[in-house]
Amino acid sequence: MKAKHTILATLLLLAAMPIQAQVQWDNLINKLKVEARADGELFTTDSTPQFGFHGKYFNLMLGGELGGGVSYYFKQRIVANPGSVMFFDNTDFLYIDYKPTQNWRLRFGKDAMAMGGFEYDASPIDVYFPTTLWNSIYCFQLGISGAYISDDGNHTIVAQVTNSPYINSTGLSYDAGLVSYNLCWYGTVGHWNTIWSTSMIEREWSKFMNLTMIGNKLVFDKWDIYVDFMHHALSFDDWGKNFGVVSCANYYFTPQFNIFVKGMYEQNKSEVDLNSAVALDHLLLAGHTYTRYGLGFEWFPTEQKNVRLHTYVCRMEEWDRNTRISDTWNFNIGATWTMDFYKLFKK
């Protein structure tokens, strides 16, 4: 009889194992996606037009819970060429979160620098004809951060220390000892969303660039609009000369179709001497101004919104002091698709 009870208990245990394994699997992985984007582009200038099709992004995303308030997130940008600075060059995110309570969070690993602006905050795969600053800054850096989250979840304050992006732009090694101190507020007040930040980015030992980003966004059922203001200074007497403004508005005819308009202006009119082998300002060229503006639309042909088609046209101008050095029209058509394997496995 005892042997029969033992066999029965063993069978019950074996029967329960797949259920327990499923629970652990659900906790371990709650995000598993692959996303890709390809564009066809035509650039018209005074010289020969340039056109063709190319892949823009191919990303792998993985995330989940490790237990005890610890979670992880991983996003790998799959590219053909290896990194040049460190092992995680082409990894956008690879971090561990620890949330001892609902109000506090600690994070360590590769993360986006905690900076303001809704263009900056968007996933790169979702950004069309971005600002020069967006294109120039090496925003994904290894570091550590702490965050306070309000009880209602509408406000988050992040304090972060990361490697300085000057390590990348000047070709230094990771152990050059340059860091960036970032402070950022993410807020929601009714229809008004904010991402405000200020950063002290070390460009040389004990010499810093201040980068302040103020992003404001209004969100309603049928439309939304954001306006980002970006200002950076290399010294205390360098204020008001290097800044940019970018705005984008969407109107949603249906949940699956929207039209957008976007425009931006950026300038670097600093008096700081930048005629050196290594530019002190790695965001905008000295004496240059940039303007870009255009419109386009997005269409999601499936209810799951796992496929997005887009097209846009924009004009791009660059000036070196009083001389226009480029005037380009960009015509773009492309597609983005997402393969959500986690949802597939859940089914």
Side-chain angles (χ1 to χ4, degrees), residues 113 115 120 132-141 165 201 211 213 282-283:
M113 296 173 66
M115 293 181 178
Y120 173 90
T132 305
L133 184 150
W134 187 95
N135 268 324
S136 301
I137 191 167
Y138 293 86
C139 65
F140 298 108
Q141 296 290 343
I201 303 174
L211 177 58
M213 314 266 278
H282 70 165
L283 301 178

Side-chain angles (χ1 to χ4, degrees), residues 124-327:
I125 203 170
D126 298 325
V127 177
Y128 308 119
F129 54 99
T131 57
T132 305
L133 184 150
W134 187 95
N135 268 324
S136 301
I137 191 167
Y138 293 86
C139 65
F140 298 108
Q141 296 290 343
L142 283 161
I144 188 170
S145 67
Y148 171 76
I149 305 164
S150 63
D151 290 338
D152 59 8
N154 289 336
H155 301 277
T156 301
I157 305 294
V158 179
Q160 182 190 57
V161 180
T162 69
N163 282 341
S164 169
Y166 274 90
I167 291 177
N168 301 75
S169 62
T170 55
L172 298 175
S173 173
Y174 76 94
D175 57 358
L178 303 183
V179 296
S180 178
Y181 304 95
N182 312 306
L183 183 65
C184 189
W185 166 44
Y186 302 85
T188 300
V189 182
H191 296 285
W192 176 41
N193 296 341
T194 66
I195 310 179
W196 295 6
S197 71
T198 188
S199 301
M200 295 300 293
I201 303 174
E202 199 166 20
R203 52 186 176 83
E204 297 178 46
W205 184 256
S206 298
K207 295 182 180 180
F208 293 86
M209 169 194 284
N210 173 259
L211 177 58
T212 298
M213 314 266 278
I214 300 176
N216 296 279
K217 186 175 185 179
L218 291 174
V219 180
F220 292 87
D221 291 338
K222 298 290 291 185
W223 62 274
D224 59 56
I225 183 172
Y226 70 73
V227 180
D228 296 339
F229 176 76
M230 306 156 287
H231 179 276
H232 56 285
L234 294 167
S235 61
F236 286 106
D237 59 352
D238 195 37
W239 295 86
K241 300 171 184 177
N242 305 337
F243 65 86
V245 180
V246 56
S247 180
C248 182
N250 288 279
Y251 183 80
Y252 302 93
F253 291 94
T254 72
Q256 293 170 292
F257 180 81
N258 70 282
I259 188 170
F260 64 88
V261 292
K262 185 177 183 181
M264 64 203 71
Y265 172 82
E266 300 169 277
Q267 71 171 40
N268 179 346
K269 295 186 178 180
S270 174
E271 299 297 329
V272 176
D273 182 16
L274 302 180
N275 295 320
S276 60
V278 178
L280 300 182
D281 186 338
H282 70 165
L283 301 178
L284 303 175
L285 292 175
H288 284 231
T289 60
Y290 306 84
T291 58
R292 296 178 184 178
Y293 52 88
L295 60 88
F297 72 80
E298 296 177 315
W299 176 45
F300 297 86
T302 65
E303 292 185 3
Q304 296 80 13
K305 290 191 173 183
N306 52 5
V307 176
R308 179 185 65 200
L309 305 178
H310 74 262
T311 186
Y312 66 78
V313 57
C314 76
R315 185 180 183 185
M316 303 176 289
E317 293 186 23
E318 181 179 355
W319 293 73
D320 184 355
R321 296 166 177 85
N322 295 321
T323 303
R324 186 169 64 184
I325 60 175
S326 71
D327 181 4

